[in-house]
Every structure is written in C-alpha cells, then in structure tokens.
Amino acid sequence: QSVLTQPPSVSGAPGQRVTISCTGSNSNLGPGSHIHWYQHVPGTAPKLLIYDYTNRPSGVPDRFSGSRSATSASLAISGLQAEDEADYYCQSYDNNLSVLYVFGGGTKVTVL
Amino acid sequence: QVQLQGSGPGLLRPSETLSLTCGVSDSSINSGYSWTWIRQSPGKGPEWIGSLYRRGKTYYNPSLKSRVTISSDTFKNQFSLSLTSVTAADTGVYFCVRSDCSGSSCFIDYWGQGALVTVSS
C-alpha cells in the first residue's frame, strides 16, 4: 500500500487531455510540501517530468503540467501522443514517517 | 549527460546479503547532490531505501534501517548498497539515483536503468 494514492489507470485518444491525481495527507501533501512527477517506460530509466508541483526540467514538453490543491496534486497531459504511454508516479516527503521519499502506486496511461 | 549504472548479483538465496554498486559518470559523488537507492517490487510503487549525502551522512528508511548500509568510494566515484538477511519480499528492481535537494524538497533528476534482484530458494 503506497503512501500516496493514484488511480491505477487512465486512458485517452491521441490529442486528448488526461489528468492524473495524487492524494495524500497533511504530512506529505500539506503546507510546505513538494510534489514531483516521473514518467517510466518499463525497461528504461524513469524520467523526471515535473518538480516542485509545477516546474518542468529543460527538455520536457509543455504538454505536461502540474498543479496542486490542499492535500492533492495533479499531472495533466495535453495533446496526448502515442509516446506518452507509460507509468507515471508522484513523489513527496513524509515528515510523520521520517521517510525522505514517498511515492504513489503509479498510474498507467494508455493511448487508445 | 549524467549516467548511473548499477551492478550486482541478480539471484540471491534467503538470508544472504544483497550487495549492489552504482558507478556514476559526469557527476561527482562529492558534489552537493544526494545519492540514493530506490527499489520497486512487482506490481507496487517505488520504495525509498536510503540516501547518502556529502561528508558521508546517511539516512535510511525506518522500515529497512536495521538491515541497510549505504557507503561510497570517492576514488572510484561510486556508491554501494548492502541489505542483509534478504527474503522473497526483497525481490524487485533496484535503482540507483541522483537527487537534487533543497530544504525539504528532494527530487530525482537522474535514474539508473535498474538492476533486477530475485530472492529465491
């Protein structure tokens, strides 16, 4: 059971917009927290997509965007492309558990 | 481009010690980054194992702390993981990663490919 909760799967047709939610508690998604998102194509190294809720590293397309509200965060993928089919994970820090990295269980994005 | 390459035995028997090493290219492990081991068991989300900071400071997941040691070899620019008394629950893909930390925010900017470790009798 992961500390952060994500939907197991989302799907969309090419060109559509999909969103992935990440919910937690005050100790990991509350005030002062930081959420980061990763993309993982099985068999390859995971890739940083979004850091500190909304920031994109250089090279990440602006089709990927992050947002936050209360004790949740979301990743949106606009203009869905076939290459976006992958697993997506959110990550934060939990100050109650003294765990530097807590992750969501992952969301499989399928491009129809 | 920073690269991390983990290596070590892929098959262990229960009660043995898992030892993995991660070679780092184009980034010094003496720099201000954190060097971390993450694992992922089949069908589950990633799990933090532990992290190494500058001057040898280490932090471990409380659930694994009694069995984990992370160390470094600055001359070889690599860091290592030791996990004792393994069981089938330790089966999974082990990633070595570099993290960028500022205050309470740590995100992973580079991941290794991952090393599959299977514990089976």
Side-chain angles (χ1 to χ4, degrees):
Chain A
Q1 194 80 354
S2 299
V3 174
L4 304 177
T5 301
Q6 299 178 235
S9 64
V10 299
S11 62
Q16 284 189 330
R17 182 177 187 269
V18 297
T19 60
I20 301 169
S21 61
C22 177
T23 58
S25 65
N26 218 42
S27 64
N28 47 57
L29 285 181
S33 63
H34 302 266
I35 273 284
H36 320 293
W37 291 91
Y38 304 93
Q39 178 192 59
H40 186 205
V41 176
T44 69
K47 172 186 173 184
L48 176 67
L49 275 185
I50 299 285
Y51 65 96
D52 290 342
Y53 281 104
T54 60
N55 299 299
R56 276 187 311 275
S58 62
V60 173
D62 59 7
R63 303 185 292 104
F64 295 93
S65 62
S67 63
R68 71 172 293 181
S69 63
T71 55
S72 70
S74 294
L75 173 72
I77 310 173
S78 304
L80 197 63
Q81 299 182 4
E83 67 203 50
D84 299 332
E85 189 159 293
D87 298 316
Y88 293 80
Y89 297 93
C90 58
Q91 175 247 312
S92 182
Y93 156 78
D94 195 299
N95 54 33
N96 270 1
L97 301 175
S98 297
V99 175
L100 296 187
Y101 303 78
V102 290
F103 292 88
T107 299
K108 169 70 175 180
V109 170
T110 301
V111 182
L112 301 172
Chain B
Q1 177 77 343
V2 177
Q3 293 189 338
L4 299 98
Q5 182 66 52
S7 61
L11 179 61
L12 293 170
R13 306 295 184 198
S15 81
E16 291 185 333
T17 295
L18 181 161
S19 296
L20 295 174
T21 297
C22 184
V24 180
S25 305
D26 288 331
S27 184
S28 170
I29 62 169
N30 279 329
S31 64
Y33 295 100
S34 158
W35 305 94
T36 292
W37 289 95
I38 303 285
R39 71 180 182 180
Q40 187 167 20
S41 301
K44 294 186 178 181
E47 178 185 29
W48 173 63
I49 300 172
S51 299
L52 174 70
Y53 289 78
R54 197 162 23 177
R55 290 187 284 274
K57 181 68 176 175
T58 52
Y59 295 89
Y60 300 128
N61 189 320
S63 68
L64 298 169
K65 187 175 183 177
S66 64
R67 299 194 290 132
V68 173
T69 302
I70 295 176
S71 58
S72 65
D73 184 330
T74 55
F75 294 104
K76 294 183 178 178
N77 207 43
Q78 62 187 30
F79 62 107
S80 300
L81 168 69
S82 173
L83 180 68
T84 62
S85 304
V86 297
T87 69
D90 295 310
T91 293
V93 177
Y94 285 70
F95 295 96
C96 55
V97 305
R98 188 185 87 166
S99 297
D100 191 341
C101 297
S102 175
S104 64
S105 172
C106 281
F107 59 85
I108 299 166
D109 56 358
Y110 290 97
W111 297 68
Q113 291 276 21
L116 177 61
V117 174
T118 302
V119 180
S120 175
S121 56

